[in-house]
Structures are given as structure tokens and as C-alpha cells.
Amino acid sequence: MMHSVLGVEAAMGVPGWLHPVVEFCRPFRMPAFFLISGLFLARTIDAPWGRYIDRKVVHFAYFYVLWLTIQFAFKGPGIAMEEGAGAALGAYLTAFLQPFGTLWFIYILPVFFLFTRLVKGLPVWLVLAWAAIMEIMPIATGSVIFDEFAARYVYFFAGYALATRVFAFEGWTARNGAMTAGALCVWALVNVALAFGIAPAALAGYAQAFTWEDKAPKWADLPGISLLAGSIGTLAVIAISGLLARVSRANGLRWIGAHSIVIYLAFFLPMAIARVILIRLGIITDVGTISLLVWVAAVSGPIVFYMIVQWTGFGRFLFERPTWARLSNEGGRQKADRMVPGE
């Protein structure tokens, strides 16, 4: 939604009615993603190093290189026309050190997996405290990996180290639906205040250094508060997901969640195509409505494409790691259609 909405708004020059939804989710969107990514790591973190490297590094490296190349097949010609073929080649090679566009999370997950394996023998409180300090500090080196590591690792490690408590929390919220609903309403109001409330001018300079953005910082951007907002928002996501998981009509969402990496990898193309077509046709002029339709295309396009691949059998290498790209065949075929690191 964020990429779809901001892309349409940038092209049309004005915000739409979906923009507040994106802003509401901003404090907890990436914290929730990384905490959930670490939840199942305990299942495999003690695996032999060869298997661990295969499943936690080679696995993601294959899909990063593959989909980086696919994205450049579409974006490279434009770069070459504007800046020359050398610039296009340079941008492609740079992406192996500085993650490219929407694929940065696939690049950084193996870094998190390796680092967590190396520090798993240290006291949990020590690593959590260090990671929290890293998140609070205004680190902006320009390196995507270093900056995002500092800002996001605390959530990933918390998912791994506190998984038992997270699942216990989810179980409690599911058993106490009325109290959970009330707490979620309170949280939503607080999150609105943090996500939309402008921070005091006295804190603006430090907050802007913290967010790496030249704009009036919100309360949720402030050091310490961002960690709190991200953590509580992630718990809210988990509580909502736990409630939905017990609703039979949520099977569609469950399927999408199980195949989330399919969407993450392939959404860029249907999103871009839908945006260009809808804006150029001019039949719909409302920015929010166009953003909504582009978002739907960005989610449904990869799903339809994945189903075609599964039905025809052609192109499975796009979502399944082939034998030659594995260090070991142990455990059978490994599919890339589940963003569940423990599996």
C-alpha cells in the first residue's frame, strides 16, 4: 500500500484519501515485519552451519539476485537512455552492496540471521539493550544495510528471543476478545496521536536526524517514542492477526500470508503498469481511488501470476529455489512462497 499510494501521489502531485492510512501504519509497519520474521528462528538456529547457511543466506541471495536482475530488465533501459549504458551497469553492480529499491528487506534478512546465530550465546537482555540503543540513536550513514540494521534489528531479535512470550500474548488476546478489542481501540487513538502529531520545535533538529527526512517530524519519529510505538503497534498487529486466524472467512488472508514473499517479490511490475494506465487513461481522477486500484493490482497481480506458474509449471524458478541453487538437497524442495524463516 505504501509504495502504491506514494507512487501515485508523486505522479499526480497531490495526496489522496489513502495517505492517512499509510501514515497510520508507518510507526509499526516494518517493526511488525521484522519481529514476525524472527518468531520462528528458534526452530532452526541450532542447525548445522552448512544447512543454516543454505536456508538463511543462499536461499535469500538467490531470490535477491534473480529479482534484482528482473527489475533491472525493466528499469535499466530507462537509466541507460538518460545517463548511458555505463550508468545502468554501475547501478546494477552497486545493488550488490547497496540494496536496490523494494528488495532491501530480502538483502538484510540473511544479515540478521547470521548475526543472531553469532550472538545467540550472549545474554538476551544484553543484546536487546544494545539493539534498542542502536534503534534510538540517530544513525544515518547513507548505507542502507547499516542504517536499517541499526533501526530494525531490535525487532527481529525480540521476535527470536521473546517468541514464547509473543505466542503467549497472542493466546491471551484470543481468549479475551472483548478486552483485546477495547485495548486495540485505545491503541489506535494513541497511534493516531503519535503518527500525525507534530513534534515540538525544540526537538525537531534531533528528530529530523533520526528520520533522515527533511520534513516536520511527528511524535512517532522521536527517539525512544519510535521504539515504543513500533513495539506496541507490532503487538497490536499480532493481536488482530490472532483474532482473524480464528475466523473461517479469513482463509483468503491466511493464504496470502502464507504466500507473502510471492507478493513482495513481484508486486513492482503490476503496480507500475496499473499506475501508468490509470493515470494516462484519465477516466478516474480521484487520487485516493487510483491509489486503491493500484494497490489491489500490486497484490492480486503476483497472485494471479503465481497461480499461472503453478498451473503451467513454467517459470517455477521465479518462486522456488532450484536444485543447483542449494547447498544441500536435505529436506526436499525448498519453496520460496512462505516468509517464515523457521521453515
Side-chain angles (χ1 to χ4, degrees):
M1 180 190 289
M2 183 202 73
H3 289 289
S4 299
V5 171
L6 297 186
V8 170
E9 292 176 350
M12 301 190 72
V14 291
W17 50 263
L18 264 181
H19 190 88
V21 181
V22 172
E23 287 298 305
F24 177 84
C25 296
R26 187 163 58 90
F28 59 85
R29 175 174 48 86
M30 294 313 297
F33 171 82
F34 282 113
L35 185 139
I36 293 170
S37 295
L39 273 180
F40 301 94
L41 180 56
R43 295 180 180 179
T44 56
I45 196 167
D46 292 318
W49 268 106
R51 188 191 313 168
Y52 192 81
I53 294 295
D54 178 63
R55 298 184 66 178
K56 303 305 183 187
V57 178
V58 179
H59 178 80
F60 290 97
Y62 168 78
F63 290 105
Y64 178 78
V65 174
L66 173 64
W67 283 91
L68 168 67
T69 304
I70 291 173
Q71 287 202 18
F72 256 87
F74 292 94
K75 298 181 179 182
I79 299 175
M81 290 179 62
E82 292 182 4
E83 305 177 39
L89 178 61
Y92 177 77
L93 296 177
T94 300
F96 286 86
L97 296 176
Q98 185 84 321
F100 182 78
T102 60
L103 298 174
W104 70 270
F105 75 94
I106 294 180
Y107 192 112
I108 203 171
L109 277 175
V111 177
F112 285 171
F113 289 134
L114 284 176
F115 189 82
T116 304
R117 175 75 179 246
L118 294 174
V119 302
K120 72 182 184 72
L122 297 177
V124 169
W125 67 267
L126 178 63
V127 180
L128 271 178
W130 170 80
I133 292 173
M134 291 281 285
E135 197 275 351
I136 293 172
M137 292 175 63
I139 296 176
T141 66
S143 167
V144 173
I145 290 301
F146 191 88
D147 294 346
E148 293 294 348
F149 183 98
R152 313 299 184 187
Y153 182 69
V154 63
Y155 303 107
F156 181 89
F157 186 79
Y160 156 69
L162 306 178
T164 302
R165 292 179 172 84
V166 171
F167 288 124
F169 167 80
E170 185 277 327
W172 184 91
T173 57
R175 292 190 302 271
N176 298 271
M179 291 183 62
T180 300
L184 287 172
C185 291
V186 174
W187 160 78
L189 294 175
V190 173
N191 191 73
V192 166
L194 295 178
F196 294 94
I198 302 298
L203 301 175
Y206 190 70
Q208 285 177 340
F210 179 74
T211 58
W212 316 297
E213 298 177 6
D214 185 19
K215 66 176 186 178
K218 308 298 195 308
W219 276 102
D221 298 326
L222 297 180
I225 296 179
S226 67
L227 178 60
L228 183 64
S231 301
I232 297 177
T234 297
L235 292 178
V237 170
I238 291 171
I240 294 171
S241 300
L243 294 175
L244 286 174
R246 289 158 175 81
V247 178
S248 59
R249 293 183 181 179
N251 285 336
L253 287 177
R254 183 178 295 109
W255 189 93
I256 289 175
H259 298 77
S260 58
I261 198 173
V262 171
I263 299 170
Y264 280 126
L265 289 172
F267 82 91
F268 77 96
L269 187 56
M271 177 187 69
I273 293 174
R275 180 175 65 232
V276 171
I277 291 177
L278 287 170
I279 292 177
R280 289 188 177 180
L281 283 178
I283 298 175
I284 301 173
T285 58
D286 179 68
V287 176
T289 303
I290 294 176
S291 299
L292 175 63
L293 295 175
V294 170
W295 174 42
V296 171
V299 174
S300 60
I303 293 174
V304 172
F305 179 57
Y306 174 76
M307 289 181 172
I308 294 174
V309 168
Q310 293 298 103
W311 178 56
T312 63
F314 294 107
R316 288 193 173 182
F317 69 94
L318 294 171
F319 303 111
E320 296 181 19
R321 188 158 53 113
T323 303
W324 60 263
R326 295 199 295 266
L327 299 181
S328 170
N329 288 327
E330 184 177 358
R333 290 194 312 170
Q334 291 177 306
K335 294 186 178 181
D337 57 0
R338 295 178 65 87
M339 182 54 75
V340 183
E343 298 185 2

